[in-house]
Amino acid sequence: MFKMFRYLGEGADIYYKAFPTTWDATSEIGKKRIIKLKETLRKHLPIKEGKALDVGCGTGISTFALEELGFEVIGIDIRKEAIHQAKEIAKERGSKAKFYFMDAKRLEFENESFDLVTLLGSPLPHFSVYDFDEITMEAYRVLKPKGVLVIEYIDTIKGLYSWHRDVFVEGLLISIYKGFNSVEGLEERFFINLNNGTTFSVKFYLWAPWIAEFILRKAGFEVQSHYIREDSFDSGG
Amino acid sequence: MFKMFRYLGEGADIYYKAFPTTWDATSEIGKKRIIKLKETLRKHLPIKEGKALDVGCGTGISTFALEELGFEVIGIDIRKEAIHQAKEIAKERGSKAKFYFMDAKRLEFENESFDLVTLLGSPLPHFSVYDFDEITMEAYRVLKPKGVLVIEYIDTIKGLYSWHRDVFVEGLLISIYKGFNSVEGLEERFFINLNNGTTFSVKFYLWAPWIAEFILRKAGFEVQSHYIREDSFDSGG
């Protein structure tokens, strides 16, 4: 049988590999994202300096943005390959940011050792409520008493109501709604990568402010909500 | 100015008053709901006898169903008027069920005093995640170690995706989608009561299995999910 497209399976790793330029801190898009994120953070961060922990740092886009704003930053990610890349890029950039392969649910840091913890680049769709609950409690533990947790996320439950069934075209990468499971809290999307003739699926956890806020409050945080942008699918380009 | 319809404001009380036959245990619809609920509970309840607490009992439809199944039942509700009615109806029926005006978030019962706690008639849309969290912890406290919590609810987040913008006609009561706020987790519906020329709004909290399960698990419950019926708006008629 002739197969035009090869199905790669599902998962976040395949997803990130399919958008190399978007997530690579050295690409043109990556560089633009650093600049844009710096602007956003400069405007909205309630603190301007100190020790920062960048959770889910990927190849370092958000970590370098924080460093350039004046923070002493550690980036962590559960994807080994991304951490490897981030370290290489840090060398090239002459960055002092530290990068560690680490699970955000089990932070290897002392209590009250950071002024800022960030979850940037909208990682919430990769976390179940159980994951986010553990991550939030760990963030609370490692933050100093006046520390700040900053989360960037997409309101996907609002999305159910609007763009949910839309087809998205990002260059030659096409994403199509496949299914939605409210027992698990998951949306599934099917991706077609016309660049290399592959397809894959990704399951994204659904999130909305009221659920995130509930979990944050349970962990002990006071919640201040900022809704920065409406263009949920902006990839910084 | 000539006003054809009078706006009564918003709230659960007005909502329940607008459906008197549906929520009244003595009406034809109410009697049918008792029978139907008994059938459902007989099929799905993992225990068959003992002490039961019926949270949000209203005028007693669910409480009488539980009693007829062989439980020794106490019904509580935050609506004084409903409890008053329930007591009257209990007298008429020769029921031994007890009814108390009580806040489910502050149960006036000893630890481990019930075999069963129920939330029937889909009350979750009236509870925020914070309310439900407190109610769940209280239910856990008053349940015996092998006790069971049974919750009947509508998956309104799945509803966002399907019937959310539908107009519902229940006799001469019309309900129209008005707005949706995912920061608060609320849907607002506008009701037109053609029986008496009044209109009102109700805000309903959005719920789906994965959020309810998360809160139940946090409180210490093991969760077994049964999805009994698909016709979310069945009012027992």
Side-chain angles (χ1 to χ4, degrees):
Chain A
M1 193 178 110
F2 177 67
K3 272 197 180 176
M4 202 159 183
F5 284 88
R6 195 160 48 95
Y7 183 64
L8 298 179
E10 63 180 57
D13 259 327
I14 308 166
Y15 173 71
Y16 286 107
K17 272 179 200 156
F19 291 91
T21 51
T22 307
W23 306 102
D24 177 354
T26 61
S27 73
E28 280 314 302
I29 292 179
K31 284 175 189 164
K32 278 187 192 160
R33 288 183 68 206
I34 293 175
I35 293 167
K36 197 166 173 185
L37 192 55
K38 265 167 63 182
E39 279 170 23
T40 304
L41 292 172
R42 186 176 283 126
K43 212 185 291 174
H44 294 282
L45 276 186
I47 53 169
K48 305 297 173 197
E49 53 178 15
K51 284 189 71 178
L53 174 64
D54 187 26
V55 172
C57 64
T59 66
I61 287 174
S62 44
T63 323
F64 300 129
L66 287 163
E67 184 179 33
E68 289 181 13
L69 285 172
F71 289 92
E72 184 190 330
V73 198
I74 295 175
I76 66 160
D77 205 290
I78 196 80
R79 292 174 55 239
K80 270 188 182 161
E81 204 183 300
I83 287 298
H84 179 75
Q85 273 181 271
K87 282 179 179 170
E88 293 296 314
I89 299 169
K91 260 185 232 164
E92 283 167 39
R93 293 177 69 96
S95 158
K96 288 178 184 168
K98 299 259 178 299
F99 291 97
Y100 302 109
F101 163 69
M102 201 184 288
D103 184 349
K105 291 182 279 184
R106 277 170 290 276
L107 295 179
E108 298 157 35
F109 301 109
E110 300 286 311
N111 293 353
E112 306 191 1
S113 44
F114 292 95
D115 301 284
L116 175 68
V117 173
T118 55
L119 276 81
L120 300 171
S122 302
L124 259 61
H126 299 311
F127 304 140
S128 71
V129 284
Y130 303 93
D131 295 330
F132 185 62
D133 189 39
E134 287 184 63
I135 291 168
T136 302
M137 288 189 286
E138 274 292 83
Y140 193 84
R141 182 183 67 75
V142 302
L143 274 169
K144 295 177 185 172
K146 294 200 169 177
V148 174
L149 173 63
V150 170
I151 301 172
E152 190 185 12
Y153 71 102
I154 297 168
D155 183 347
T156 42
I157 290 181
K158 198 172 173 186
L160 282 180
Y161 195 61
S162 48
W163 50 258
H164 199 254
R165 281 195 175 170
D166 292 355
V167 173
F168 294 103
V169 178
E170 302 207 48
L172 288 175
L173 192 70
I174 321 291
S175 138
I176 302 165
Y177 167 79
K178 194 171 167 187
F180 157 54
N181 180 341
S182 75
V183 175
E184 306 279 340
L186 282 168
E187 175 192 357
E188 191 169 6
R189 298 192 74 87
F190 182 76
F191 289 81
I192 304 169
N193 191 341
L194 298 173
N195 285 304
N196 59 12
T198 58
T199 68
F200 58 98
S201 300
V202 187
K203 287 180 179 165
F204 297 101
Y205 285 100
L206 295 167
W207 282 97
W210 93 89
I211 308 167
E213 286 192 24
F214 170 71
I215 292 174
L216 290 162
R217 288 211 170 98
K218 281 281 272 192
F221 286 101
E222 266 178 57
V223 179
Q224 265 189 306
S225 302
H226 294 289
Y227 300 101
I228 293 164
R229 57 186 202 190
E230 281 296 306
D231 53 332
S232 307
F233 275 94
D234 184 356
S235 53
Chain B
M1 193 177 109
F2 177 68
K3 273 197 181 176
M4 202 160 183
F5 284 87
R6 194 160 47 96
Y7 183 64
L8 298 180
E10 62 179 56
D13 259 326
I14 309 166
Y15 173 72
Y16 285 107
K17 272 180 200 154
F19 291 91
T21 51
T22 307
W23 305 102
D24 178 353
T26 62
S27 73
E28 281 314 302
I29 292 178
K31 284 175 189 165
K32 279 186 192 160
R33 288 184 68 207
I34 293 175
I35 293 167
K36 198 165 173 189
L37 193 54
K38 265 166 64 182
E39 279 169 24
T40 304
L41 292 172
R42 187 176 284 126
K43 212 186 291 175
H44 294 281
L45 276 186
I47 52 168
K48 304 298 172 195
E49 53 179 14
K51 284 191 74 179
L53 174 64
D54 187 27
V55 171
C57 64
T59 66
I61 286 173
S62 44
T63 323
F64 300 130
L66 288 163
E67 184 179 32
E68 290 180 12
L69 286 172
F71 288 91
E72 185 190 330
V73 198
I74 294 174
I76 65 160
D77 205 288
I78 196 82
R79 295 173 55 239
K80 270 189 180 159
E81 203 181 302
I83 287 298
H84 179 74
Q85 272 181 273
K87 283 180 179 169
E88 294 296 313
I89 299 169
K91 259 186 231 165
E92 282 167 38
R93 294 176 70 96
S95 158
K96 288 177 184 167
K98 299 260 180 298
F99 291 97
Y100 302 109
F101 164 70
M102 199 184 290
D103 185 349
K105 291 183 277 185
R106 278 171 287 277
L107 295 178
E108 298 157 34
F109 302 109
E110 300 286 311
N111 291 355
E112 306 192 2
S113 44
F114 292 95
D115 300 284
L116 176 68
V117 173
T118 55
L119 276 81
L120 301 170
S122 302
L124 258 61
H126 300 311
F127 304 140
S128 72
V129 284
Y130 303 92
D131 296 330
F132 186 63
D133 189 39
E134 287 184 65
I135 291 168
T136 302
M137 288 190 285
E138 274 293 83
Y140 193 85
R141 181 182 68 73
V142 302
L143 274 169
K144 294 176 185 173
K146 294 201 169 176
V148 174
L149 173 63
V150 170
I151 302 172
E152 190 185 12
Y153 72 101
I154 297 168
D155 184 347
T156 42
I157 291 181
K158 198 171 173 186
L160 282 180
Y161 195 60
S162 48
W163 49 259
H164 198 255
R165 281 196 174 169
D166 292 354
V167 173
F168 294 103
V169 178
E170 303 207 46
L172 288 175
L173 192 71
I174 320 291
S175 138
I176 302 164
Y177 167 79
K178 194 171 167 186
F180 158 55
N181 179 342
S182 75
V183 175
E184 306 278 338
L186 282 168
E187 175 192 357
E188 190 168 8
R189 298 192 73 87
F190 183 76
F191 289 81
I192 305 170
N193 191 342
L194 298 173
N195 285 303
N196 59 14
T198 58
T199 69
F200 59 97
S201 299
V202 187
K203 287 181 180 166
F204 297 101
Y205 285 100
L206 294 166
W207 282 97
W210 93 89
I211 308 167
E213 286 192 24
F214 170 72
I215 292 174
L216 289 162
R217 289 210 171 98
K218 281 280 271 191
F221 285 102
E222 267 178 57
V223 179
Q224 265 189 306
S225 301
H226 295 289
Y227 301 101
I228 293 164
R229 57 186 201 190
E230 281 296 305
D231 53 331
S232 307
F233 275 95
D234 184 356
S235 54

